[in-house]
Amino acid sequence: MILSSHFPVLIVVAPLFAAYLMPLCWRWKRGLTKPIAVTALTLSFLMALNMAFQVLRSGPISYHAGNWQPPWGIEIYVDYLSVYMALVVTGVGLLILIYSTKYSDKMIEKGNIAIFFALILLLIAGLTGMVVTGDLFNLFVFLEIASLASYALVPIAGSKGTKGRFEASFRYLYMGAIASTFTLIAIGFAYMATGTLNMADLALRLVEAREAYPTLVLMSLGFFVVGFSLKSALFPLHLWLPDAYAHAPAPVSALSSGLTIKVMAYVIIRLFYSIFGIAFVSSTGLLSMIQIIAALAIIIGSLYAIAQKDVIRILAYSSVSQIGYVILGATLLSSDGFTGGLLHILHHSIMKGTMILAVGAVMYKTGKRNIQDFKGMGRRMPYTMGAFSIAALSMVGIPPLTGFVSKWFLLLGTLEAKSYAFTFVILASSLLNAVYYLRLINYIHFKDPDEGSVRVDEAPMTMLIPIVILGLGAIFVGMMANIPLTLISKAVSSLGL
Amino acid sequence: MIRKWLIRLIFIVLLGYLVAGFVVGLPPFGSADAPAYTHVVPRYIERSVVETGATNIISGIILDYRAYDTMGEATVLFTAALAILSLLGGEKDD
Amino acid sequence: MIYQVISQYNYIAAVILFFIGLYTMISRKNLIKKIIGLNIMDTSVFLFFISMGSVEGGKAPIIVLGSENVIYVNPLPQALILTAIVVAVSVTAFALALTVKLYGDYGTLDADKIRELREEPG
Amino acid sequence: MIWLIDLLLLLFLIVCALEATRNKDLLSVVIIFSSYSLVMAIIWQQLNAPDIAITEAAVGAGITTMLFVAAISKTSRWEE
Amino acid sequence: MTEDIIVKTTARLMTPFIQMFGLYIILHGHLTPGGGFQGGAVIGASMILLAVVYGLEEGEKRMSHDLSTVLESSTIVYVLIGFIGIAAGVNFLASGAAGIPLGRPGDLLSGGMILALNIVIGFKVASTGKTLFYTLAKEDEG
């Protein structure tokens, strides 16, 4: 019995299993809640790492749940792109979970702590499930687990949360439910046209179905794109996002921004490249439309971010802008652009994770997060704010940090695709990023704190370590970009670019 | 008021467009030759009794061929229960 | 053409219900109305799926042992919808819990009023 | 003949849905929605989906309705 | 809750039959229409009926908090049944391939793991239905 051959399913089942245990633990053995959560996710991360080596060594893994052949049973299909996303999701998720173990003590209502961890595990399991699955309806099921968990995580802080948290959660649910229904309809159309739910099989049969049922295939694609644009907060469907981030606890904002919307963008990439076929998508004219929307998202998200006073809202609008980069990179039809878009997923997960967690650490200490309250924070919490600044500089795209590498590839991509307007968009947006991130850095390091502000010191170790690891990740990935790039370049070439 | 009527108008136009332009493109209702019925499903119908032992084909599908989905479905229920408990449930500290 | 449209009356009904539900969700300010709209929209999608699985002269997909040459309707959409119904109930329940909490905070279920009340204190 | 009954049931569904959108009394809306679910269950039985029909009758008309009633009893009954 | 003797008596008389029917639906899920979800929903609805007629406290008495916590986590059993496949050297959630006897089609004890999974799902749906309603309908103490 080789256990490692079951990793594609165990990577999802491990966090789920731990989540099921949470209510029992909370009732009878409270001390075990956090260790079990962290252990389960560590296992998941190790499995993802192992799978990355397996995939690099011997190609994509196909796992048949219940021993049924793919079109009949559910196939779990791990290729280069999936394993890359799985690594990002479990790795960043694990760091955020470690951070939450301390954060939850003070910032989450006591009765909700076990539920908080269970929901985080469910969210990460849902996202991992979406990433590794090879079946369209299975994707929907895990999408619902992840979505329901993330709606519920917004107001989880209970009486320690902000006042608008229920409304933010309701708005998120409202948009998310519409998106889920659209996705279900799209799956129905795809099934109706082809008679299968397996992604690989679907890709083959859609070629014929395009002739036989052209409207059906087109509608399916349209509903998918609208649904997942809503879920990934692609401009102009981002309206739920700033509120949800501003009212959620910091680790939850970090998870949504770093992972959830990235996985939704991954699904769009998967739909375009592995299912519908990028040539077909581009022949419908949808691709150029999405390019323009993504470019608008990049610019308008940055402009909104400049206008904000609340640091979390700055970061939230910045996410709207960054998801634009990912989508733009994926739709440029150039291998360099695609590489840049995929690298941007990793880059942005790490950077946004660092920054939101750092802001969370400040809130943990002072309870405030207005940009004014960050004056002089650099002297009081040097390590936290150091990591924050590295991440901010990386977002601006200063070499040798990651942001520079991914933006460099994106620029090459726009040049390769001869879309010079987008070259200009990326350059302009770097400038806009610089405006608001350098303003933050200026406040943090070069301003004196206000008279009578709260005196605080460094964040506790359990919170500091994840922040610093993520911050160092910016330097590490930037310097040694060839490590993720080996995986990404294989992913790009396996998807046909 | 104008906004309300505008929304209604957009909806009715969309509806008309969909009914006329889209429903025509579907495979005929009740057809046994539609791809939905001819590709994957025949195996479920012909062999589910032998392969899963269930005479109810739907049980055979949801709990054997696609049991992994159903695990996810039970998890959705679990998530919903936790979500509601986090809002309205149990012990609160003040 | 007309006949083709008429004969697909199940699909037409599903499309109409879908739009009624979506319209309710968008135009009504009351949160519970919005949730009802969501449910109508969901059931319309279920109706669409089940109609898709229907087969002329088909029997329900419960195999009668020993009988041969029976046509059964398509069981796969039904299996999928079983999952989707449970998902819809879960989302509905959570949304209702949120409305109860929102009512406790603001004393109203009107989405616009809630927004006003929230922005007043600054 | 049977298609006429189907058509009537579908018409009933649409009328129910419209009334649920229009009515200002939320409790009535929920009751209408409950009957909507039951009619939907009958339609699904007509379409040879007994499993889904049972589910809809138990979940849609039973549990969902009770959840709505519970929520309305804790909030307000009238839509302003 | 009003003191209505007819409603109360009817509810008390009906509940065992409703629950029996729910159990029947669960246990015969692989043979006749129905299964874990449907039967679980019926049982859940019967508990809701009790709560509506007798008030929430009465219903709460019939099921201790510990028991409902355990039932909430009953999905664990589903995963454990899935592990049988891995233990048998085949894939997760395998039934026939893992050597679970499928029985003679049409018998109550047939269908491999379907019967066991139906029971797990039935308990899960019933307890979740009950939890959802009770949590939503419970009066706020503060």
Side-chain angles (χ1 to χ4, degrees), chain A residues 111-152:
Chain A
N112 280 354
I113 288 181
I115 298 178
F116 173 71
F117 282 105
L119 288 175
I120 284 192
L121 286 171
L122 287 168
L123 172 58
I124 294 174
L127 295 178
T128 322
M130 284 172 73
V131 164
V132 296
T133 188
D135 189 279
L136 213 47
F137 195 74
N138 196 240
L139 178 86
F140 173 76
V141 172
F142 280 103
L143 170 71
E144 281 304 311
I145 296 175
S147 311
L148 197 52
S150 48
Y151 311 146

Side-chain angles (χ1 to χ4, degrees), chain A residues 32-89:
Chain A
L32 281 180
T33 324
K34 292 168 186 174
I36 288 183
V38 173
T39 315
L41 219 50
T42 313
L43 282 177
S44 253
F45 177 62
L46 293 178
M47 285 186 234
L49 216 53
N50 179 289
M51 270 177 4
F53 286 116
Q54 281 185 47
V55 169
L56 277 177
R57 199 172 48 234
S58 49
I61 309 167
S62 165
Y63 184 89
H64 307 157
N67 271 53
W68 299 110
Q69 287 301 309
W72 293 281
I74 292 173
E75 184 191 17
I76 298 170
Y77 185 73
V78 187
D79 63 357
Y80 300 103
L81 184 55
S82 312
V83 84
Y84 169 66
M85 289 303 293
L87 269 174
V88 174
V89 169

Side-chain angles (χ1 to χ4, degrees), chain A residues 286-302:
Chain A
L286 194 68
L287 207 59
S288 42
M289 215 163 83
I290 288 186
Q291 283 176 355
I292 293 168
I293 288 176
L296 279 176
I298 294 175
I299 296 293
I300 293 178
S302 302

Side-chain angles (χ1 to χ4, degrees), chain E:
Chain E
M1 301 292 161
T2 49
E3 294 292 319
D4 193 329
I5 188 101
I6 298 176
V7 173
K8 282 193 171 181
T9 316
T10 319
R12 186 161 50 217
L13 286 176
M14 287 298 287
T15 309
F17 290 103
I18 298 176
Q19 293 186 341
M20 196 85 88
F21 178 60
L23 214 58
Y24 171 84
I25 292 180
I26 292 176
L27 291 178
H28 289 249
H30 52 302
L31 304 175
T32 55
F37 292 105
Q38 293 86 343
V42 169
I43 295 180
S46 80
M47 291 194 226
I48 292 175
L49 173 72
L50 277 187
V52 170
V53 175
Y54 286 96
L56 290 168
E57 297 77 21
E58 194 69 23
E60 202 96 86
K61 263 188 229 159
R62 299 185 177 226
M63 203 188 222
S64 74
H65 206 77
D66 286 355
L67 184 62
S68 61
T69 313
V70 172
L71 283 181
E72 265 322 307
S73 297
S74 59
T75 328
I76 283 184
V77 183
Y78 199 108
V79 178
L80 290 180
I81 293 175
F83 280 134
I84 294 177
I86 293 185
V90 282
N91 284 353
F92 187 67
L93 280 170
S95 163
I100 302 175
L102 294 181
R104 199 160 55 89
D107 285 359
L108 184 58
L109 285 178
S110 68
M113 66 175 179
I114 292 179
L115 182 60
L117 290 183
N118 258 333
I119 294 170
V120 174
I121 297 279
F123 274 116
K124 175 74 198 155
V125 174
S127 76
T128 306
K130 182 227 156 205
T131 311
L132 293 184
F133 179 77
Y134 276 56
T135 323
L136 205 56
K138 202 169 55 186
E139 289 301 314
D140 273 332
E141 53 276 3

Side-chain angles (χ1 to χ4, degrees), chain A residues 19-20 26 30 68 71-72 74 109-110 112 122 135 137-138 152 189 191-193 195 201 205 213 216 219, chain B residues 18 22 26 35-36 39-41 43-44 64-66 68-69 72 75-76 78-79 82-83 86-87 91-93:
Chain A
Y20 302 148
W26 189 248
R30 292 202 176 185
W68 299 110
W72 293 281
I74 292 173
E109 203 170 54
K110 189 156 165 276
N112 280 354
L122 287 168
D135 189 279
F137 195 74
N138 196 240
F189 289 161
Y191 173 70
M192 205 173 185
D201 198 23
R205 292 181 61 87
Y213 304 105
L216 212 50
M219 296 286 280
Chain B
L18 273 181
F22 151 72
L26 298 180
H39 178 53
V40 172
V41 168
R43 169 158 169 182
Y44 292 147
D64 204 332
Y65 289 108
R66 300 183 70 88
Y68 188 56
D69 266 358
T75 310
V76 171
F78 177 75
T79 314
L82 287 186
S86 79
L87 282 183
E91 42 185 321
K92 298 273 173 212
D93 58 352

